[in-house]
Amino acid sequence: GWWYNMGTVKQAELAETAEEVAYQAQMADVVGSTVKAYYELAYTQRAVEIAQRSVDLALGQREVTQARIDAGDLAPVELMKLDETVATRQGDLLEAEMSQRRAGVALRALLVGSNEAGRLGSAYRAVDLPASPIPSRDLEASFETALIHNPDVRRQELDLQRRQIAFRMSRQDLLPSLDFTASLALNGVDEHTRGGLEDVFSGNHPYWTVGVTLTVPLTNRSAETSFRQRRAEVEMALLSLKSLHETALGGVENAYTQVTSYDEQIHIAET
């Protein structure tokens, strides 16, 4: 039928759509990686600020303790304990600063390329910091969004449609076919060229035929093999789609858990 003749065209359209989905997924991945790197830089900046505040508090406490030792209120051994605390917090500060520098290099690599990232002398700083608390999320709505907009799921759905078309076309090859044919010819019978042309364009001597062709395949092992192969491909595509659904939903659930705990982590870091 008509769909059989247009099957190849439909498959090509689905392949083109799959390429567009892949391109959009690549762009989304770049944008997502950049946003993640930016907020990772913002997080490390905040960690540096907290670590610096901790060092300042330890140093302030050391000064108070030193004054009390000088006044004879405390034993000198108390200062050794505080020196150990100051050294530990200064180490934490150095580690936080290293993390901040690494986050800045990672963000520059995404923005200007890895080859140019190390050549830039100016350090990147995040201006807009993550807000707290984080708005509540709807887990069920997130599941639905993931199944609709997940690029891997979308591409697998398109691949399944292409394979289903190929399966229907291979099944059609096993069935009898009935073709109707018709032709019309306008003849020129004059022995001179001019007269013959006039006969043709006047339609005085038409010739037409109508026919019916019935084709019944008796044994077609190649078509039967192709049919079984296409059917197996459809079954495999369905299993792959189901697996991608489970993977997408599992990823959403894990991300949801991480997001809901983010506010608590910020609160702990600030206290």
Side-chain angles (χ1 to χ4, degrees), residues 15 46 78 137:
R46 189 61 179 273
E78 297 296 332
R137 302 296 197 272

Side-chain angles (χ1 to χ4, degrees), residues 208-245:
W208 56 272
T209 60
V210 176
V212 177
T213 303
L214 175 63
T215 303
V216 180
L218 299 179
T219 56
N220 191 341
R221 293 184 178 180
S222 176
E224 292 174 355
T225 301
S226 177
F227 171 75
R228 288 193 294 268
Q229 180 180 356
R230 298 294 179 266
R231 181 173 58 187
E233 290 175 353
V234 170
E235 294 173 353
M236 289 296 297
L238 285 170
L239 290 176
S240 297
L241 181 59
K242 181 180 179 181
S243 176
L244 283 174
H245 280 180

Side-chain angles (χ1 to χ4, degrees), residues 167-188:
F167 170 69
R168 293 179 63 188
M169 294 176 65
S170 66
R171 183 175 58 183
Q172 189 72 17
D173 292 335
L174 299 175
L175 301 177
S177 62
L178 181 64
D179 299 321
F180 293 91
T181 59
S183 63
L184 174 65
L186 300 176
N187 298 322

Side-chain angles (χ1 to χ4, degrees), residues 117-144:
R119 302 179 186 178
L120 299 178
S122 59
Y124 279 18
R125 288 192 59 83
V127 178
D128 298 323
L129 300 180
S132 180
I134 297 175
S136 61
R137 302 296 197 272
D138 186 340
L139 183 58
E140 294 300 326
S142 299
F143 283 155
E144 183 178 357

Side-chain angles (χ1 to χ4, degrees), residues 56-98:
D56 294 340
L57 289 174
L59 290 174
Q61 188 176 2
R62 187 187 186 282
E63 292 179 359
V64 172
T65 302
Q66 181 66 58
R68 295 184 64 183
I69 291 174
D70 294 341
D73 296 336
L74 293 175
V77 69
E78 297 296 332
L79 192 63
M80 297 178 59
K81 297 179 180 179
L82 284 176
D83 286 341
E84 182 180 353
T85 300
V86 169
T88 299
R89 295 186 180 183
Q90 286 176 338
D92 294 340
L93 175 60
L94 290 174
E95 183 178 351
E97 290 174 342
M98 287 296 298

